[in-house]
Amino acid sequence: MTRYSNPLRSPRTTAVRGGLLAAAALLLATTTPAPAAATSPGNWLYLTVTRGDTRGTLLLCDPPAGHARAADACAELRAAGGDIGRIPPKDAICTMLYAPVTVRARGEWGGRPVAYERTFSNGCVLAARTGSVFALDE
């Protein structure tokens, strides 16, 4: 029986290693990726609302999920092309009470990065300007 000083270099070890590499190559060659047309960029935003304390949630739009009004928020975002600043303002009568609310959104819409940050004078003005997108408390 022949003894090898380095068992990792023996003919048997080399054959096993070669067989494993061949099996891995065969597995990779037979696995076909999904066609590019079948995958679409995800539409999602991580939203935060700060009114003394900070609350946050992940809004998913394919399908809508994340907070109580996710379906409405996703519909408003779709109509605005994912641009929160382009959501049409709602008719609202808001008091002049100053209770600042800072909102932030980071994520991706239609394959493009989204970054939005703004401070509104109060929650009524926030709701009138951004619709359901930051309605995390409901």
Side-chain angles (χ1 to χ4, degrees):
M1 177 180 216
T2 307
R3 300 239 177 211
Y4 294 92
S5 60
N6 184 350
L8 296 177
R9 298 257 185 223
S10 74
R12 183 176 179 184
T13 305
T14 304
V16 170
R17 190 178 306 146
L20 289 174
L21 288 173
L26 180 62
L27 181 64
L28 288 173
T30 59
T31 306
T32 57
T39 59
S40 63
N43 295 326
W44 62 273
L45 298 174
Y46 184 74
L47 308 168
T48 59
V49 177
T50 303
R51 290 185 176 116
D53 65 335
T54 300
R55 293 184 181 184
T57 192
L58 180 63
L59 173 65
L60 303 171
C61 289
D62 298 317
H67 59 74
R69 298 183 62 194
D72 294 335
C74 291
E76 292 167 350
L77 283 164
R78 274 189 201 95
D83 184 352
I84 298 169
R86 288 184 44 211
I87 294 175
K90 312 288 186 280
D91 288 333
I93 299 173
C94 297
T95 64
M96 302 228 7
L97 175 67
Y98 185 71
V101 182
T102 301
V103 295
R104 290 177 186 84
R106 302 273 185 265
E108 185 175 301
W109 194 272
R112 293 181 316 240
V114 173
Y116 178 86
E117 181 175 353
R118 184 151 177 207
T119 300
F120 294 93
S121 58
N122 59 47
C124 178
V125 176
L126 166 67
R129 299 273 175 85
T130 63
S132 304
V133 174
F134 293 100
L136 306 185
D137 295 337
E138 297 177 22

